[in-house]
Amino acid sequence: MGVPLFHGVTYQKMSEIIGKHRFHFLKYDDGQQIIGAGEQCTHMKTIVSGKVRVSVSNSDNRVRVSQTLEAPDIIAPDFFFGKTTRYPASVCALGPCGIMQIDKNDYLDIINSDSVFLFNFLNLLSVNAQLSLEGVLALTSGDLRKRIAYWIVALTQRNGRDIVMECRQKDLYGVFGVPRQSLVAALSEMKAEGLLDYSTSRISVTERRRLADLLTE
C-alpha cells in the first residue's frame, strides 16, 4: 500500500483488487538483470524491497546515465502506455531485491475499478510532463548550468539517487555546443554550489531534487 499508484486506497479495496487480479512477486539476486534496454513494457514493475540500478545510454554508448531507485519506486512508468512502450534503460538488482509486477490488461482493469487508481497514475504522468516543460523553458535563459541540469533530470526519475553521467568532456563540448572553458566553468560553479562533482569522464549527482529546483529559478 506504500506504492505510489495505490496511495489513498483503503485496505479493504486493496484486498479486493489483489483477490481479482494477478500480482506477481519476483526476487532477484545482486547484479541480476531485471529489464533489458529496448524490452517491451508489458507489466507495471514496482520495487517492493531493496534497490535497483537503472542505466540509459545513447546508441554508441558514448553518453551513459545511471541512477539508483529503491522501494517503493516504479520503474519507467512513462513508458507503460503511449507511442513508445519499450523500456529505455537496462535495470539490474543492486543487492537482493523484490519486484511486484502487474500485467498491462490487469492494470487497466484496476484503473477502471476506482478513480483513485486513475488519479494516482495521471498525477504521476503530469508531474513528469510539467518538469519537462519547466526544463525546456529553462534552456531559453542561456544558462549553461540549467542546460546541464536539464540533461541529467530528463534522463532520470524523480526519486533517482547516486546519479552518474559518464561521458568524456570533449564529447560534452559537442553536446552543449560550447568551448571547453565554458563547460568547465559551469561545472566548477555547480560543484561549488554543492550540486554535483565531476572529473574528465563523469558527472556525479547526489541530490537530483536540487538540480530540478535549478530549472525553476
Side-chain angles (χ1 to χ4, degrees), residues 1-3 6 9-25 48 100-103 106-107 109-111 113-114 117:
M1 295 195 57
V3 174
F6 301 145
V9 179
T10 65
Y11 183 85
Q12 180 180 355
K13 182 64 177 180
M14 200 66 240
S15 297
E16 178 186 328
I17 290 295
I18 292 176
K20 291 181 178 179
H21 300 87
R22 295 167 295 177
F23 282 64
H24 300 281
F25 294 88
V48 290
M100 177 186 72
Q101 66 177 31
I102 309 171
D103 179 82
D106 280 330
Y107 188 63
D109 287 341
I110 292 172
I111 287 179
S113 71
D114 194 309
F117 295 114

Side-chain angles (χ1 to χ4, degrees), residues 21-41:
H21 300 87
R22 295 167 295 177
F23 282 64
H24 300 281
F25 294 88
L26 309 174
K27 292 184 177 181
Y28 294 88
D29 296 324
D30 182 36
Q32 189 174 358
Q33 187 177 71
I34 300 170
I35 298 170
E39 183 179 320
Q40 190 71 39
C41 184

Side-chain angles (χ1 to χ4, degrees), residues 42-139:
T42 59
H43 292 76
M44 183 69 76
K45 296 179 184 285
T46 303
I47 308 161
V48 290
S49 66
K51 303 176 182 179
V52 303
R53 192 67 178 168
V54 182
S55 301
V56 60
S57 62
N58 67 337
S59 58
D60 59 9
N61 211 35
R62 293 171 72 181
V63 179
R64 182 181 181 88
V65 178
S66 302
Q67 62 182 317
T68 296
L69 299 177
E70 59 186 53
D73 284 331
I74 304 163
I75 301 174
D78 297 8
F79 294 84
F80 199 50
F81 299 109
K83 182 180 179 181
T84 301
T85 55
R86 293 184 179 276
Y87 287 104
S90 61
V91 182
C92 295
L94 193 61
C97 78
I99 299 292
M100 177 186 72
Q101 66 177 31
I102 309 171
D103 179 82
K104 182 177 291 190
N105 290 329
D106 280 330
Y107 188 63
L108 283 172
D109 287 341
I110 292 172
I111 287 179
N112 288 324
S113 71
D114 194 309
S115 60
V116 174
F117 295 114
L118 178 60
F119 175 80
N120 286 338
F121 187 63
L122 291 177
N123 188 54
L124 179 67
L125 296 181
S126 296
V127 168
N128 293 342
Q130 289 164 10
L131 181 59
S132 296
L133 176 62
E134 292 168 353
V136 170
L137 291 176
L139 299 183

